[in-house]
Amino acid sequence: MKIMLKNLSKSSFTAVNITIVITVLMYLAQESITRGGLYMGLNMYFVVYDFWWQPLTTMFAHGGLMHLAMNMFVLFQFGGLIEKYRGTKEFLLLYFVCGILTSLISFAYIYFLDNQVNLVGASGAICALLGYVAYLDKSQRSGIITWVLLISVAPLLIGMPIAWYAHFIGLGLGFIYAMIRR
């Protein structure tokens, strides 16, 4: 244990790494609570039972280990890039402001079009990171948009329940955020 702690440097304590650790811990908490996914996800409990925390906690809840791992991998890549080149404050504002806004706008979809949905995952916030990078780096734009289309549509074609709308909302919000903050 001492050796592991010695190997940790100040550079290990980035906002992205801390966000990943918190997300993993919240997922473990979700899994240890009966119906934790329903309490932490975003669903009709938000308005029916005044679960006001759901637009934030849905970013930490996930639909399984693979969902969590994939999201944390992309968060590490793109969040780390943004934090390194634009700063910790910019990363945190982008991730949490756009993540919560994505949740709230996605809830409108849930409320009006499919109130049986329980939205879980950081994908909306992560797609906001992708939208941010797509705006700032025009050479990456078409690849990022294609990737978001693939991760949104392909799972639907094989019958997986996926919140494709949250991906598109997050991508758009990240793009708009970058336009405002450039």
Side-chain angles (χ1 to χ4, degrees):
M1 183 63 147
K2 252 186 185 179
I3 294 171
M4 284 176 46
L5 292 176
K6 280 185 179 181
N7 290 333
L8 288 176
S9 67
K10 279 187 176 182
S11 65
S12 299
F13 292 100
T14 64
V16 169
N17 289 343
I18 292 167
T19 302
I20 290 169
V21 168
I22 291 169
T23 304
V24 170
L25 292 173
M26 291 291 285
Y27 173 74
L28 293 173
Q30 167 201 335
E31 290 298 299
S32 68
I33 299 168
T34 304
R35 293 192 300 259
L38 284 174
Y39 294 126
M40 292 176 65
L42 182 62
N43 50 57
M44 292 304 293
Y45 288 0
F46 177 51
V47 292
V48 173
Y49 298 115
D50 295 325
F51 283 16
W52 52 266
W53 57 84
Q54 286 187 334
L56 174 63
T57 58
T58 191
M59 294 168 50
F60 297 102
H62 282 81
L65 286 175
M66 288 304 293
H67 186 210
L68 176 68
M70 182 176 59
N71 278 344
M72 295 306 96
F73 178 72
V74 179
L75 173 57
F76 181 77
Q77 286 183 311
F78 285 88
L81 177 75
I82 292 166
E83 185 174 12
K84 181 177 181 181
Y85 291 103
R86 301 296 282 211
T88 299
K89 180 181 173 186
E90 187 72 2
F91 162 73
L92 289 171
L93 278 172
L94 169 65
Y95 189 75
F96 287 102
V97 169
C98 289
I100 291 169
L101 284 173
T102 296
S103 296
L104 292 170
I105 297 169
S106 294
F107 184 75
Y109 176 91
I110 293 167
Y111 187 83
F112 292 109
L113 298 173
D114 190 359
N115 58 23
Q116 299 301 308
V117 167
N118 182 42
L119 183 68
V120 293
S123 303
I126 290 167
C127 285
L129 301 178
L130 295 171
Y132 184 87
V133 171
Y135 178 80
L136 295 177
D137 187 354
K138 289 181 176 111
S139 68
Q140 299 292 324
R141 189 173 295 165
S142 64
I144 288 172
I145 291 169
T146 301
W147 175 248
V148 173
L149 279 167
L150 280 172
I151 65 168
S152 301
V153 176
L156 286 175
L157 296 176
I158 60 171
M160 290 178 67
I162 187 164
W164 56 270
Y165 46 91
H167 296 171
F168 295 137
I169 293 165
L171 182 71
L173 286 174
F175 201 87
I176 291 166
Y177 182 93
M179 288 172 58
I180 293 168
R181 299 280 295 180
R182 55 181 150 123

